[in-house]
Each structure stands twice: as structure tokens, then as C-alpha cells.
Amino acid sequence: MTFPTIAKALPDQKINQYLAEHYTQYQTRENFSGIQLSVKVNEAPTQTYVIGRESHDPNSAPITAESLFHIGSITKSFTAALLLQNDRNQALDLNADFTQYLPEYSHWSGITTMQLLNMTSGLPNYRKVGVKPCLF
């Protein structure tokens, strides 16, 4: 059973209880200040559940459904998961030259998407070489 299916079947009270238990058990050990969970099931409105504060400062504001967070490097995990799903569905080939999918980077041809995922492409760190990142 997938989480959206479970979330749809659980009352809000149970989800809030689960978040509270997780927060209590892991907050100090994993050094986070709060949890925000949003669940979208089919055409139903998105349900958002929260617990905790915006920062580790005990006087900081409680998080809300509208709170925004710096997501940092976590996007790499989501990107990798999507690429692996598309590879499995044969929508792309991880071993193909990535410029097949992003031709505007032709000056880096010969690098595969797999190399990018494994951080073995040899591309320089743009912060160290003064290259500005390309924003679409």
C-alpha cells in the first residue's frame, strides 16, 4: 500500500499522531526543527500536516502549511529517482550522452547521465572556476 493510499485512509488525528511521535523520537538525534508533510491524493485538495518550529530557537515561530524551507541538496535525490524511473520505463537511457536530452550543453558532450548521477563526469565545480550556473 502506498503512502497516499494510507494517508487517504487515515484520519487527520492519526497522521498528526504519527508526525508527533516521529518528531519526538528523531528531532534531537537528526537535528531538525520541524516537519511539514503534504499529501495529494487524486483530485482531493492537498492536505498539509505540520509540527515543530521554523528554527532550533525555542522562540521561533511554529511552522505552518505556508512555511517555506531551504531544500538544498535534497533535490538531488528526487532528480535521481525520477531519472531512474524514466530509465526503467525506457523514456531515457542513463548511459547515453546527456546532451541527447540537453543539447544546449554540447560543449560537454561525451558525458553520460549516469556519470552525472554518480558525480564522476569530471565537470568542474562552477563555484571554484567562476562559471555562472545556467538557469532556465
Side-chain angles (χ1 to χ4, degrees):
M1 188 177 287
T2 64
F3 185 79
T5 304
I6 294 168
K8 186 176 180 182
L10 289 175
D12 290 346
Q13 178 184 359
K14 286 285 193 185
I15 294 172
N16 285 322
Q17 178 185 346
Y18 177 80
L19 286 182
E21 289 170 2
H22 186 86
Y23 180 80
T24 301
Q25 183 174 357
Y26 296 104
Q27 184 265 335
T28 301
R29 181 171 51 180
E30 295 183 5
N31 196 34
F32 60 86
S33 62
I35 301 170
Q36 181 187 70
L37 169 70
S38 294
V39 179
K40 175 76 173 152
V41 179
N42 298 326
E43 299 305 315
T46 301
Q47 293 294 117
T48 300
Y49 306 89
V50 298
I51 187 169
R53 302 198 163 277
E54 289 183 353
S55 77
H56 293 287
D57 179 348
N59 297 317
S60 67
I63 60 172
T64 68
E66 290 77 33
S67 295
L68 299 177
F69 301 92
H70 294 282
I71 57 174
S73 290
I74 193 67
T75 58
K76 292 175 189 170
S77 301
F78 293 113
T79 301
L82 291 170
L83 287 168
L84 290 170
Q85 287 175 348
N86 280 294
D87 181 64
R88 183 185 63 215
N89 295 335
Q90 299 179 343
L92 64 82
D93 178 2
L94 293 177
N95 294 308
D97 189 314
F98 90 103
T99 60
Q100 175 179 334
Y101 307 105
L102 296 170
E104 59 271 25
Y105 292 98
S106 61
H107 54 287
W108 287 332
S109 65
I111 296 173
T112 68
T113 305
M114 182 66 81
Q115 289 173 308
L116 291 171
L117 285 171
N118 290 330
M119 294 190 234
T120 59
S121 67
L123 290 180
N125 181 329
Y126 70 88
R127 290 184 183 151
K128 291 182 180 176
V129 296
V131 176
K132 292 183 180 179
C134 177
L135 302 175
F136 295 96

